Amino acid sequence: MPYVIPVQGSAHKRAVPSARRHYAQHGFGRRLQTLRRSLGNVFKVVPPGTLKVPVKNRLYDAQINIQAFVANAYGSADNLAWIWIFERGLEKEISRKQVGLRKHHTEVRSRLGPELRQYLEHLDPWFEYLVEYRDALAHRIPLYIPPGAVLTKNIDAYNALMVGMNAAINRFDSSEYERLSEEQSKLFVFQPLITHSITETTAHYAFHAQLIADFLTIEELGLKMLDELRRGN
């Protein structure tokens, strides 16, 4: 039966690090580096302007980096909330379940300055998008890049090839199936979109632009929180 092997040593005797070091340096700081690296990897593996459907391994690599990006974007916002909680000495007053910056984290938001509260309200739609994609990744359908789309003018040809492919499968003609599948693949055009479940998602996103927007949002949110911390000094 799998289990976690504890590391022997004196780590458990060390003093609890300050929030500035623990959640800022080891949390938010590390996540920023992961976000930067993941974003760069996506742009390298699937450059903007790509028209031909990339090979599967490139799509997989891009998906892996987008998944890492979304998970750490979500965690970055929580890290900022924890930094503020500990820097204000509120860790015993606010329960762990209430630590966060989203609109239902009322105990945190109510104690922030009016400027930051207003900014977070402005970010509510962004938080909703981020939570949807993070929760799908963590609990339901992982994020993926659809391999391609078919232009309206080619739909009939695509469907006709699909009929032929199904007929080839029914008569166990693998060679004909592969030939028709190759012809069908020529009808695909690449669209740089990211999604999860086609029945649950509220929208698909152009991931090149979205990753840049998300990174800049996290950066701006970090600067706003820094201003908030300075305000209380």
Side-chain angles (χ1 to χ4, degrees), residues 19-119:
R20 189 175 290 110
R21 185 174 184 82
H22 190 56
Y23 289 102
Q25 180 179 340
H26 297 303
F28 188 74
R30 285 185 187 176
R31 291 187 191 279
L32 279 182
Q33 294 304 312
T34 299
L35 293 174
R36 182 184 65 83
R37 184 70 175 177
S38 298
L39 190 155
N41 287 342
V42 171
F43 274 66
K44 182 177 180 180
V45 174
V46 183
T50 297
L51 299 177
K52 184 179 178 181
V53 178
V55 298
K56 287 185 178 180
N57 283 344
R58 282 186 173 270
L59 289 180
Y60 289 149
D61 287 345
Q63 288 169 184
I64 291 168
N65 280 278
I66 291 172
Q67 290 171 7
F69 186 98
V70 169
N72 282 283
Y74 179 98
S76 294
D78 279 354
N79 280 152
L80 291 174
W82 278 110
I83 292 169
W84 184 83
I85 289 290
F86 278 97
E87 289 295 320
R88 289 290 184 266
L90 298 172
E91 63 273 19
K92 294 183 180 180
E93 296 182 35
I94 298 179
S95 68
R96 295 179 64 88
K97 292 182 179 180
Q98 266 294 312
V99 177
L101 299 177
R102 287 180 279 156
K103 60 183 177 182
H104 69 274
H105 296 121
T106 54
E107 289 189 43
V108 172
R109 282 200 179 187
S110 65
R111 304 193 190 199
L112 296 171
E115 183 178 338
L116 184 53
R117 282 203 308 271
Q118 184 178 6
Y119 176 74

Side-chain angles (χ1 to χ4, degrees), residues 140-205:
R140 302 190 305 278
I141 305 298
L143 313 183
Y144 74 100
I145 303 170
V150 179
L151 298 176
T152 302
K153 66 180 182 180
N154 293 328
I155 289 178
D156 290 341
Y158 175 90
N159 290 334
L161 287 167
M162 182 59 73
V163 170
M165 291 163 63
N166 290 335
I169 289 177
N170 291 335
R171 64 176 183 269
F172 302 102
D173 188 345
S174 60
S175 296
E176 179 66 2
Y177 176 86
E178 291 296 332
R179 186 187 72 79
L180 294 174
S181 178
E182 185 175 346
E183 287 298 314
Q184 190 185 59
S185 67
K186 295 177 182 178
L187 299 177
F188 281 113
V189 293
F190 182 63
Q191 294 182 309
L193 303 177
I194 191 70
T195 187
H196 51 90
S197 169
I198 59 174
T199 61
E200 295 179 1
T201 185
T202 56
H204 308 319
Y205 295 95

